[in-house]
């Protein structure tokens, strides 16, 4: 698989572009028959800037493909709520005062 089959991901893309990039990465991973370990290692190569820093802060969990896959989708592929939406979505738990 050529290196330039996937363009680097820099985290400055909107959620629609991030979803397209993620699907492209998964397509190339399937085509190249990468296992979970290889997907984690290659994801490290294709992330740049803040996205790469995000991956590094995961610590040892960055080597677990199931965790990384779920965390990437939550971090980059889900739309961000506005501050007002987050405020109105807050609720107090029974253990909080």
């Amino acid at each position: 698989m050529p290196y330039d089959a996937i363009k680097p991901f820099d985290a400055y893309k909107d959620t629609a572009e991030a979803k397209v990039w993620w699907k492209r990465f998964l397509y190339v991973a399937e085509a190249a028959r990468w296992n979970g370990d290889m997907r984690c290692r290659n994801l490290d190569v294709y992330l740049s800037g803040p996205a790469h820093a995000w991956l590094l802060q995961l610590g040892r969990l960055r080597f677990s493909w199931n965790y990384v896959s779920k965390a990437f989708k939550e971090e980059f592929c889900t739309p961000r709520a506005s501050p007002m939406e987050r405020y109105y979505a807050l609720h107090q738990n029974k253990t909080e005062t």
Side-chain angles (χ1 to χ4, degrees), residues 6-7 9 17-25 43 46:
I6 306 171
K7 302 294 182 210
F9 182 79
E17 291 175 353
K19 287 179 185 178
V20 169
W21 185 90
W22 184 247
K23 286 180 182 179
R24 174 86 175 154
F25 180 82
L43 183 64
Y46 289 110

Side-chain angles (χ1 to χ4, degrees), residues 48-85:
S48 65
H52 189 255
W54 168 83
L55 182 67
L56 294 178
Q57 62 89 27
L58 294 178
R60 289 184 182 182
L61 291 174
R62 75 176 189 259
F63 300 113
S64 167
W65 176 247
N66 291 333
Y67 182 83
V68 170
S69 175
K70 182 179 176 187
F72 184 92
K73 288 185 274 188
E74 287 176 3
E75 182 70 24
F76 299 109
C77 298
T78 56
R80 305 260 185 237
S82 71
M84 185 183 298
E85 290 172 326

Side-chain angles (χ1 to χ4, degrees), residues 31-44:
R33 304 183 127 208
W34 294 339
N35 61 18
D37 185 49
M38 287 299 296
R39 289 178 188 203
C40 290
R41 290 174 191 246
N42 286 322
L43 183 64
D44 186 29

